[in-house]
Amino acid sequence: EGRITHYEGIIVDITRRIHAEEALRRSERRNTRLVEAIPDLMFTISRDGVYVDFQVPDPSVLAMPVDQIIGKNIRDTGFSHEMTELMMERIARAIDTDELQQFEYDLFLPGGTRHYEARMVALSQEEVLAIVRDVTEQKAMQEALRISEEKYRLLIEKADEGVWMVDRDYRTTFVNARLAEMFGYLPEEMLGRRVIEFIPASSRETHERRIRERLQGKSERFEQQFIRKDGSLFWVSASTSPIVEKGEVVGAFSLITDI
């Protein structure tokens, strides 16, 4: 008679699929937040050097406007010929070997030269992910430290006083030329030797007491007899302080004057 008398259907429990889809969405949101929180610049680059995608926390650090990056080839972005060739070589190596590639480069921007560290990993046989970190401040600190250490070294080497550094066991780790001259040795002849080897037997008990005090963090000024290489004795005025690292005494530093 053409009337619907009943319905038939199939009911499928999709709870697991719904849970899986929700877990996937949460994972994608989490990964997106993680990427956004990374301070590094990230670029997806094709094997032939074309920028496919990118993520940067601050667009002002880019060498070109944001809307001009996608589809641009590395060869057309202002890098030197040598740097372009290096980047293309590293892209190919990352894809062909499936190994991390790491290198540094400089980029000349309107605000001055910036230094970068780049790491590349293959995403597929056609693309790499390049993670780029601005290390300009780090490089500046390293250079400042190098200059400071060089000044310190020159000051120590040219000092009129002898400089003697020892480890916790009072083995010599450094002497400057002036101190070695006082003792009649070359500096390298004194390295590794214990201070007590240069002290007369009559003063060694006092020396051991001073070591214990130094290991307790105490500084001291005193006069002391030492033995030269030729066996002769001479008096010095010494100013000694402990060397402390992370709250622990690891050695001592002394300024020695021949009196």
Side-chain angles (χ1 to χ4, degrees):
E1 299 177 359
R3 290 182 299 106
I4 297 174
T5 59
H6 63 279
Y7 293 94
E8 290 184 0
I10 299 174
I11 298 176
V12 179
D13 187 345
I14 60 172
T15 304
R16 290 185 178 179
R17 192 190 76 186
I18 295 296
H19 288 168
E21 291 174 350
E22 179 58 30
L24 178 60
R25 284 193 292 269
R26 288 198 302 270
S27 176
E28 289 175 343
R29 286 196 298 268
R30 182 172 60 252
N31 291 340
T32 299
R33 292 295 179 87
L34 286 173
V35 169
E36 291 174 347
I38 295 175
D40 301 332
L41 292 73
M42 290 182 286
F43 302 90
T44 302
I45 308 171
S46 69
R47 178 186 280 271
D48 56 1
V50 175
Y51 288 102
V52 178
D53 195 6
F54 69 95
Q55 168 70 34
V56 295
D58 180 10
S60 67
V61 303
L62 295 172
M64 65 179 63
V66 173
D67 58 0
Q68 296 181 21
I69 295 178
I70 301 299
K72 199 83 167 181
N73 195 287
I74 287 177
R75 298 180 178 86
D76 304 320
T77 52
F79 291 111
S80 67
H81 174 73
E82 293 78 9
M83 183 51 61
T84 299
E85 291 303 308
L86 173 63
M87 289 183 172
M88 294 304 298
E89 185 269 333
R90 292 305 177 91
I91 290 172
R93 188 185 298 180
I95 291 175
D96 294 339
T97 66
D98 198 28
E99 295 178 352
L100 172 69
Q101 303 298 309
Q102 184 173 341
F103 58 95
E104 295 184 1
Y105 66 92
D106 298 336
L107 190 60
F108 302 99
L109 299 174
T113 302
R114 307 296 294 181
H115 306 283
Y116 295 93
E117 177 189 80
R119 299 185 178 195
M120 288 183 176
V121 292
L123 294 178
S124 68
Q125 285 300 303
E126 297 299 328
E127 293 179 344
V128 299
L129 173 65
I131 301 175
V132 180
R133 175 168 297 181
D134 187 334
V135 294
T136 305
E137 282 70 28
Q138 178 182 336
K139 287 285 188 181
M141 287 190 291
Q142 289 175 346
E143 179 62 13
L145 178 61
R146 185 194 67 77
I147 293 173
S148 176
E149 289 177 341
E150 180 65 14
K151 289 180 178 178
Y152 175 76
R153 185 188 67 79
L154 290 174
L155 177 64
I156 294 297
E157 288 293 340
K158 303 301 181 182
D160 291 331
E161 295 177 301
V163 177
W164 200 341
M165 297 178 68
V166 298
D167 62 17
R168 187 177 176 86
D169 296 323
Y170 261 63
R171 291 189 181 277
T172 303
T173 58
F174 173 83
V175 295
N176 68 348
R178 177 67 185 116
L179 186 117
E181 180 185 9
M182 289 183 197
F183 282 76
Y185 291 93
L186 295 173
E188 54 269 26
E189 291 180 304
M190 297 184 70
L191 296 180
R193 297 181 63 178
R194 298 188 65 192
V195 174
I196 200 168
E197 297 178 42
F198 304 96
I199 294 177
S202 59
S203 300
R204 291 184 177 181
E205 185 177 341
T206 301
H207 172 68
E208 295 291 350
R209 175 183 58 79
R210 288 182 175 135
I211 290 178
R212 291 192 295 271
E213 292 178 349
R214 211 70 63 243
L215 294 178
Q216 292 171 4
K218 297 179 180 179
S219 299
E220 185 181 10
R221 293 182 64 90
F222 57 90
E223 294 181 355
Q224 169 74 55
Q225 264 194 325
F226 283 99
I227 307 171
R228 291 192 179 96
K229 186 176 183 179
D230 62 10
S232 62
L233 300 178
F234 70 108
W235 283 91
V236 305
S237 173
S239 176
T240 305
S241 298
I243 299 173
V244 180
E245 294 181 1
K246 298 181 179 178
E248 180 180 354
V249 176
V250 296
F253 175 93
S254 299
L255 292 177
I256 308 293
T257 303
D258 187 346
I259 58 174

